[in-house]
Structure formats: structure tokens, C-alpha cells
Amino acid sequence: MANATRKKIVVIGLGMTGLSVIQHFVRKGSDTDIKVIDTRVTPQRVELLPPNVSLHTGGWNMDWLLTADQIVTTPGVALSTPELKQATVKGIEIVGDIELFARDVSTPVIGITGSNGKSTVTNLVGDMAKVAGINVGIGGNIGFAALDMLANDHALYILELSSFQLETTSSLNLTAAVFLNLSEDHMDRYTGINDYRNAKRRIFDRAKLAVWNQDDLQSKALNHSNMISFGFTNGDYTVTLLDGKEWLTAKGIPIMPVSDIALVGRHNVANCLAAMVLADAVGIDRQVQCTAMRQSRGLPHRCQQVLEHNGVMWINDSKATNPASTLAALDGLQFAGRLHLLLGGDGKGADFSVLKPVLERLDITLYCYGRDGHKFTELSAHTRVVDTMQQAMDLAAQNVTFGDIVLLSPACASLDQFTSFMERGDTFSAYASEIAARMNEGRVSV
């Protein structure tokens, strides 16, 4: 009879997020009946499931879904999926892992979203907290799953939050929330840019402080009582010219020369301004912030120099999964020779024409690959189309000379040929080293 009163939980997906949800309920020791649905025929990590958790694979189990008390879905599954819409019609609660996190967390949380830069800002604020000696948990859409971090009783949580995660979150009381910027992305999932923007803006719903970008009005919160802004020329946190040098400035007070920032690229100046606002919101000392900005060199796969060989620099920007992110990489790039740019993958319905004005001003060759590689051919007169990233790298290696840069900044998702942008970036880095070894042996002419 006791089993009849147990709460029926159905978890969608057996990836990192799904497993963190299961372990969360196990740790709570709650009286729940947990079932997992994974539409893949042979999902990974099955061996990690507790023995009392049932698993259905290879499709949907509508009986489980429609008799559930709560469905916990993963970011990769849209709420518009027909099976989930049937559950919504029945009034079944559908949440994500961030909503479960929000219901249990008791210490301050910072939330960071935006089309581009959110991983960098998340990591930078995390570095500031670490330098300050704070027991900080950094994760969400990157690194650790939010629910896994709850087990460690951190004094502060810093979460990167995607639009997908925010769609299923309604209880997150953030100490500070930032919406960094908006550009076209995930148009294969949203009905348009406004739909995408509105999902992002959910980060402000219960935030004590709403932080927005003066250079991108789409990032502004609507009708929020406590807002603060950053921007290159306007904002509470901005860049000011003093004695011929640019300075990061907070509410009119010069903080640090821009030239001291360790991160590469103009876009990272804006990221530092946003990070300062968030750090101030949780009381991190200003000098500690400056120390972190002078030391932090960013994340792997984001404008990361992985090799310099024979005067040619190879840069891994695999994190650039949309055109705006590629534009940001190009904006911060300095090189004496020619740029060999690798583009392609799963374009997610994006408009790549926004790249053309910038590409036309550069001494550049495009190497286009993957499912949507052909969509880049009209952006430059100097374009080569191949099937794979490795083929693109081989072609670039045959054409580079001293002072050139080979840049992987694909403007696309990776899932047509790789399991993630991380695997794509790791493959790029490893293959660049292999190419360099071949060059040393005289098997590639330069």
C-alpha cells in the first residue's frame, strides 16, 4: 500500500544531467519511484543507474509519462516535443535540473546567460571567487551539473544557464543575473529571435539584481526594479580613456588598465566588465577581482592557442557554435599574414551572411566542411569545401606561410561529426600537432 503513495518521477535522458537528477533524489532519500526514458537504443552510462530505477530505451513510454507526478527533462529535449505536450495538457509538472537545484539551494547563486561569452564570464567570476578564498561551485551548462554541486555545500554557486535550461526553471532566486548579449542561435528550436530572447530573459524573473549590456538593448530586463548595466561607452561599468590609456571603470572609478587583462580579444573587455558587476554583487574584493583578471587566461576551446609551428599559429575556438561567436573571435584577432578559417558543422538554421562584411576586410581563405559547410561558399571568393575538419586542416597546412593563423571558429554546432564542441576542439588540437610532426619529417610542404 505504501508504494501507491510514492511520488512517480520520470527522468528524460541518461546523460550527465539525467544522472545528476537521479543521484539528487537518491541523496534526498525521498519516497520516489524513479523511471528513466532515453530515446536512444543503446544509451551510455546504463551501468551507473541504481538497481531500483527502471529504464526504457529506444523511444517514448507514454504510459510512464502520462501517469507521472513529475517529469524532469534535460535541456536537449524541447518542451514543444509532442510527447511532452501531451503531459502538459494533462497538467503534469515538467521541470529541469536547475529548477530542482533552485528548490534546494540555500546559499547565494549567480546566474549568467547570453548567446556568447557566458562560459568565459562564468569561469572568470569563478576565478575571482577562488582567489578570494570562497568555497565556490562553478557549473550548470558547463563543467559540473548543478545538482551534483549541491552535495558539496558551497558558499557560492556560479551557474552558466542556457536558454534551454531557463525554459524549465521558475524558482531560481539569483543574487545577481546577467544577460550578456543576444544573437541568432538555436533557430532550429525557436520560432524566431524573439522567442529565443524571451527564454533568455527568464533569468531575471526572480533575480535581486538584473545586469544587462548597454551595447545590446535586447539584453535589458523588462520592468525590473533593480538594474545595473555595463558597456564599452555607456553603463555603470564601462571603459574610460585616461592619459591615453583605456581603463575598466566602475561607477566612475578607474579600476584597472584594459591592457592588464590576460584574456585575448576585444569581446573579453566586455566580459570583464560583466564579471566585475557580478563579483561586486556578492562582495568580492576589488583587488581580488583585478588579480583574477590579470591571471585568468580563459577556457579551453575559446580562442585557445594550441600550437605555434614554423611561425604559424593554430587557434582552437571550437566553442564558437554560432556566427556571433565567430565574429567575436575575428574582432580580437591580430596577425601579420593570412587567416585560414575553418567553418562548418551543424548550422542550426543560422544566417551566416552576417559574417560577410567582416570576412571581406580580411586577407583570408575559408575551409568549409561538415553538413552545412556549403552554406559558407558565398561569403568569400577564396573558399574551399571539403567533407571533414581534418581534410580542411590538411588543406590549410599545405597553404600556410610564416605569420599566418589557422583558426577553428566554426560558427556551427559540432554534432554532425563530433559528440561535442569539446571533442571537436580536442581533435583539432591533436591533429594540429600531428600535422606539425609531419611537417618536421618533410611530409607536408609549407
Side-chain angles (χ1 to χ4, degrees), residues 11 17 41 53 95 135 147 208 226-227 263 277 299 334 343 366 375 377 379 411 440:
V11 179
T17 299
V41 175
V53 173
V95 299
N135 178 13
L147 289 172
K208 294 177 182 176
N226 188 21
M227 292 193 291
L263 292 167
V277 182
L299 295 164
Q334 296 181 344
L343 295 164
L366 306 185
K375 295 183 179 179
T377 55
L379 301 184
N440 289 339

Side-chain angles (χ1 to χ4, degrees), residues 45-62:
R45 304 183 179 91
V46 172
E47 71 280 1
L48 300 179
L49 274 180
N52 59 336
V53 173
S54 302
L55 173 65
H56 178 89
T57 63
W60 293 91
N61 186 317
M62 294 310 299

Side-chain angles (χ1 to χ4, degrees), residues 105-176:
V105 69
S106 58
T107 52
V109 184
I110 288 173
I112 298 155
T113 197
S115 298
N116 297 293
K118 55 185 179 293
S119 295
T120 297
V121 174
T122 300
N123 186 66
L124 181 55
V125 181
D127 285 347
M128 291 174 174
K130 289 175 183 176
V131 174
I134 297 171
N135 178 13
V136 61
I138 306 165
N141 192 49
I142 58 168
F144 296 103
L147 289 172
D148 286 344
M149 294 192 298
L150 269 184
N152 296 316
D153 294 325
H154 294 292
L156 172 68
Y157 294 91
I158 303 171
L159 299 183
E160 176 184 319
L161 298 170
S162 70
S163 57
F164 298 169
Q165 290 171 314
L166 290 167
E167 287 175 11
T168 54
T169 302
S170 57
S171 304
L172 189 57
N173 294 301
L174 295 170
T175 300

